[in-house]
Short mmCIF file of all heavy atoms in Angstrom, two decimals:
data_model
loop_
_atom_site.label_atom_id
_atom_site.label_comp_id
_atom_site.label_asym_id
_atom_site.label_seq_id
_atom_site.Cartn_x
_atom_site.Cartn_y
_atom_site.Cartn_z
N ILE A 66 131.80 120.66 192.72
CA ILE A 66 130.73 119.73 193.07
C ILE A 66 130.78 119.38 194.55
O ILE A 66 129.76 119.38 195.24
CB ILE A 66 130.80 118.46 192.19
CG1 ILE A 66 130.38 118.79 190.76
CG2 ILE A 66 129.92 117.35 192.77
CD1 ILE A 66 130.63 117.67 189.78
N MET A 67 131.98 119.11 195.05
CA MET A 67 132.12 118.77 196.47
C MET A 67 131.77 119.96 197.36
O MET A 67 131.08 119.80 198.38
CB MET A 67 133.53 118.27 196.76
CG MET A 67 133.87 116.97 196.05
SD MET A 67 132.76 115.62 196.40
CE MET A 67 133.25 115.20 198.03
N ILE A 68 132.21 121.14 197.01
CA ILE A 68 131.93 122.33 197.82
C ILE A 68 130.45 122.68 197.75
O ILE A 68 129.85 123.12 198.73
CB ILE A 68 132.84 123.49 197.38
CG1 ILE A 68 134.28 123.18 197.76
CG2 ILE A 68 132.40 124.80 198.02
CD1 ILE A 68 135.30 124.13 197.20
N LYS A 69 129.83 122.47 196.59
CA LYS A 69 128.40 122.75 196.44
C LYS A 69 127.58 121.86 197.36
O LYS A 69 126.57 122.29 197.92
CB LYS A 69 127.97 122.57 195.00
CG LYS A 69 126.53 122.98 194.73
CD LYS A 69 126.21 122.86 193.26
CE LYS A 69 124.83 123.28 192.90
NZ LYS A 69 123.77 123.00 193.81
N GLN A 70 127.98 120.61 197.55
CA GLN A 70 127.29 119.72 198.46
C GLN A 70 127.29 120.28 199.89
O GLN A 70 126.29 120.19 200.59
CB GLN A 70 127.94 118.34 198.46
CG GLN A 70 127.71 117.55 197.21
CD GLN A 70 128.44 116.22 197.23
OE1 GLN A 70 129.16 115.91 198.17
NE2 GLN A 70 128.25 115.43 196.19
N VAL A 71 128.41 120.86 200.28
CA VAL A 71 128.51 121.43 201.63
C VAL A 71 127.54 122.60 201.77
O VAL A 71 126.78 122.69 202.73
CB VAL A 71 129.96 121.88 201.92
CG1 VAL A 71 130.02 122.68 203.22
CG2 VAL A 71 130.88 120.69 201.96
N PHE A 72 127.55 123.51 200.80
CA PHE A 72 126.70 124.69 200.91
C PHE A 72 125.22 124.36 200.69
O PHE A 72 124.35 125.04 201.25
CB PHE A 72 127.18 125.79 199.97
CG PHE A 72 128.45 126.43 200.46
CD1 PHE A 72 129.63 126.27 199.76
CD2 PHE A 72 128.45 127.19 201.61
CE1 PHE A 72 130.80 126.86 200.22
CE2 PHE A 72 129.61 127.78 202.08
CZ PHE A 72 130.79 127.61 201.39
N ASP A 73 124.91 123.35 199.92
CA ASP A 73 123.51 122.91 199.79
C ASP A 73 122.98 122.40 201.13
O ASP A 73 121.84 122.66 201.50
CB ASP A 73 123.37 121.83 198.72
CG ASP A 73 123.42 122.37 197.31
OD1 ASP A 73 123.29 123.60 197.15
OD2 ASP A 73 123.60 121.55 196.38
N ARG A 74 123.81 121.67 201.84
CA ARG A 74 123.42 121.17 203.15
C ARG A 74 123.19 122.33 204.12
O ARG A 74 122.23 122.32 204.90
CB ARG A 74 124.51 120.24 203.70
CG ARG A 74 124.09 119.54 204.97
CD ARG A 74 125.12 118.52 205.45
NE ARG A 74 125.39 117.54 204.40
CZ ARG A 74 126.63 117.14 204.08
NH1 ARG A 74 127.66 117.63 204.69
NH2 ARG A 74 126.82 116.24 203.14
N ILE A 75 124.02 123.35 204.07
CA ILE A 75 123.84 124.53 204.94
C ILE A 75 122.56 125.27 204.58
O ILE A 75 121.82 125.70 205.46
CB ILE A 75 125.07 125.46 204.83
CG1 ILE A 75 126.30 124.78 205.43
CG2 ILE A 75 124.81 126.78 205.53
CD1 ILE A 75 127.58 125.51 205.17
N GLU A 76 122.27 125.40 203.29
CA GLU A 76 121.05 126.09 202.87
C GLU A 76 119.80 125.35 203.32
O GLU A 76 118.81 125.97 203.72
CB GLU A 76 121.02 126.25 201.35
CG GLU A 76 121.87 127.38 200.84
CD GLU A 76 121.74 127.57 199.35
OE1 GLU A 76 121.00 126.80 198.71
OE2 GLU A 76 122.37 128.49 198.84
N ARG A 77 119.81 124.03 203.26
CA ARG A 77 118.65 123.25 203.71
C ARG A 77 118.39 123.43 205.19
O ARG A 77 117.25 123.47 205.63
CB ARG A 77 118.84 121.77 203.39
CG ARG A 77 118.43 121.42 201.97
CD ARG A 77 118.51 119.94 201.75
NE ARG A 77 119.90 119.69 201.37
CZ ARG A 77 120.60 118.61 201.68
NH1 ARG A 77 120.06 117.64 202.35
NH2 ARG A 77 121.85 118.45 201.29
N VAL A 78 119.44 123.55 205.97
CA VAL A 78 119.30 123.70 207.41
C VAL A 78 118.76 125.09 207.75
O VAL A 78 117.91 125.24 208.64
CB VAL A 78 120.65 123.46 208.13
CG1 VAL A 78 120.57 123.85 209.58
CG2 VAL A 78 121.08 122.02 207.96
#
Side-chain angles (χ1 to χ4, degrees):
I66 289 171
M67 295 303 286
I68 291 171
K69 186 176 182 325
Q70 289 177 357
V71 171
F72 287 113
D73 283 346
R74 187 175 304 135
I75 292 170
E76 281 184 359
R77 275 186 274 146
V78 170

